[in-house]
Amino acid sequence: LKNYNIVEEFDGRLNIKLESIKSFFGTEIIGFQKGFEERNQEVYDLISTFEVKYRKFLKQNLINSFGEIQSKEKILVCLKGERREKFQNLSSEELLDSKNSPLYLLELNLIVTKQWKIFENYFTEQSNYVRLKLNEINKMRTYPSHSKELQFDDTDYKSCTSWILHFTEVFEENTK
């Protein structure tokens, strides 16, 4: 069933994908749709909490692994030219401040990807899968932050919000 994209495995459990039921019956599944504002607000709230915990998690692990100076270098290497120059004078504490960090979510994801060796033990998933899910969260984040309606069907929406909650829990459990 996994090969036919009917079920997906999450946390060691198999879940039936609603999209497969919808295509089988050829009709919309009622009760899962949320309005534009309600869905965007829910995602905005989840991602706001996610980002705060993500930044704390990254800051703690980078500084513990590399120290203040080297962790700053590891962060800056993930930024493009202009942004790297712009933030050159900030400390790693400032770059990953949980409330006022200047870094984009996509840049945080690059840090995890490039420094996977120090983060891999916190995740049960493989690096490519973590990167894929973090990038999906980033895409989902762009919609409410730019006042656009989410462009996901209900199955994708539920899957992505469950990943936001999953990663938030991982970050929370591994941050002091």
Side-chain angles (χ1 to χ4, degrees):
L1 294 177
K2 283 178 14 181
N3 290 340
Y4 290 103
N5 206 23
I6 294 171
V7 297
E8 113 182 303
E9 187 170 348
F10 179 73
D11 261 359
R13 290 176 274 163
L14 294 176
N15 299 303
I16 295 174
K17 295 180 84 173
L18 295 176
E19 194 61 34
S20 64
I21 295 170
K22 178 180 156 185
S23 67
F24 177 79
F25 288 105
T27 183
E28 290 291 320
I29 301 170
I30 306 300
F32 292 96
Q33 294 80 13
K34 287 188 176 184
F36 164 75
E37 290 168 9
E38 184 182 14
R39 183 179 275 192
N40 282 356
Q41 186 60 50
E42 180 183 359
V43 171
Y44 178 80
D45 292 344
L46 286 173
I47 290 179
S48 293
T49 301
F50 164 84
E51 283 192 67
V52 166
K53 294 184 185 306
Y54 194 9
R55 291 171 199 286
K56 285 179 182 178
F57 171 78
L58 290 177
K59 180 169 60 173
Q60 177 181 308
N61 285 289
L62 286 169
I63 291 173
N64 287 347
S65 296
F66 301 113
E68 171 66 37
I69 294 169
Q70 198 174 6
S71 64
K72 175 185 171 180
E73 292 168 8
K74 301 285 184 186
I75 295 166
L76 290 174
V77 116
C78 296
L79 306 180
K80 299 210 187 248
E82 275 183 30
R83 290 186 52 79
R84 185 180 308 129
E85 289 174 32
K86 182 178 180 179
F87 302 131
Q88 192 73 36
N89 295 325
L90 297 179
S91 68
S92 57
E93 291 270 345
E94 293 168 311
L95 288 167
L96 293 171
D97 182 77
S98 61
K99 301 283 185 197
N100 297 311
S101 172
L103 302 182
Y104 300 134
L105 183 55
L106 187 60
E107 292 166 332
L108 301 180
N109 295 348
L110 283 172
I111 294 169
V112 169
T113 300
K114 289 190 179 206
Q115 300 304 321
W116 181 248
K117 285 289 182 209
I118 67 167
F119 297 112
E120 68 183 333
N121 293 330
Y122 298 109
F123 299 97
T124 56
E125 305 83 17
Q126 296 295 316
S127 70
N128 288 340
Y129 197 68
V130 169
R131 186 179 71 233
L132 173 74
K133 293 302 177 184
L134 288 172
N135 287 335
E136 284 179 21
I137 292 169
N138 182 60
K139 285 179 196 170
M140 194 171 213
R141 181 196 180 283
T142 61
Y143 288 102
S145 64
H146 296 288
S147 298
K148 295 179 183 174
E149 187 167 1
L150 292 170
Q151 302 295 315
F152 295 97
D153 65 28
D154 287 323
T155 305
D156 291 338
Y157 165 74
K158 294 230 180 272
S159 174
C160 200
T161 54
S162 71
W163 279 105
I164 294 169
L165 292 170
H166 170 70
F167 286 135
T168 301
E169 186 177 318
V170 168
F171 303 148
E172 193 170 45
E173 288 175 357
N174 295 291
T175 306
K176 295 176 187 173

